[in-house]
Amino acid sequence: MTSREILSKLPYSKPFLFVDELTVIFENGAEGTFTFDENLDFYKGHFKNNPITPGVILIETMAQIGLVCLGIYLGKDNNNTETKFAFTSSEIEFLKPVFPNEKVTVISEKVYYRFGKLKCKVSMRNSKNEEVCSGTISGMIL
């Protein structure tokens, strides 16, 4: 399955799609990028006169690239045209802010995939290759 095919199967659309490119995908991990456009609605109120990307959006970006894209790839042999996911848990440490117009790279490494549950170690890096957040994310493939 190609990166383009995986992206076409994502269950999201703008303005809630946080994947621009899937650069690496294989059975043990994924890597992709997203640029946070300054016109995204959440910047209007988070924070006044000094907008930063909310942590929940950073987690969602890591989940879409590092968990859902990988889950679609791992489930490629189940002949389903639509793979459904349920987010189950995350433990993320935030180290640096992500600002409007900043491009980030998410790197995911599979911890395990069994009985429909996928757990990954994820890391997000900015354009200076500085880690901005990292941790684990889990979900169920339904």
Side-chain angles (χ1 to χ4, degrees), residues 26-30 66-67 70-71 73-74 107-114 117-122 136-137 141:
F26 68 111
E27 69 180 40
N28 290 316
L67 189 73
L70 182 57
Y73 179 81
L74 293 173
I107 302 154
S108 172
E109 178 186 337
K110 179 179 74 177
V111 175
Y112 63 79
Y113 174 55
R114 59 182 170 266
K117 183 155 185 180
L118 177 60
K119 182 175 184 177
C120 297
K121 288 177 24 180
V122 290
T136 59
I137 296 178
I141 300 171

Side-chain angles (χ1 to χ4, degrees), residues 9 78-83:
K9 293 180 182 290
N78 66 9
N79 295 322
N80 287 338
T81 56
E82 184 178 338
T83 304

Side-chain angles (χ1 to χ4, degrees), residues 83-134:
T83 304
K84 295 183 182 181
F85 295 87
F87 183 81
T88 58
S89 66
S90 68
E91 185 175 329
I92 304 297
E93 182 176 2
F94 299 95
L95 305 168
K96 292 185 174 290
V98 174
F99 298 103
N101 296 319
E102 197 162 359
K103 182 177 181 176
V104 296
T105 299
V106 174
I107 302 154
S108 172
E109 178 186 337
K110 179 179 74 177
V111 175
Y112 63 79
Y113 174 55
R114 59 182 170 266
F115 305 115
K117 183 155 185 180
L118 177 60
K119 182 175 184 177
C120 297
K121 288 177 24 180
V122 290
S123 173
M124 180 181 285
R125 304 190 85 75
N126 62 22
S127 58
K128 297 176 185 173
N129 202 29
E130 301 168 320
E131 188 171 65
V132 297
C133 52
S134 64

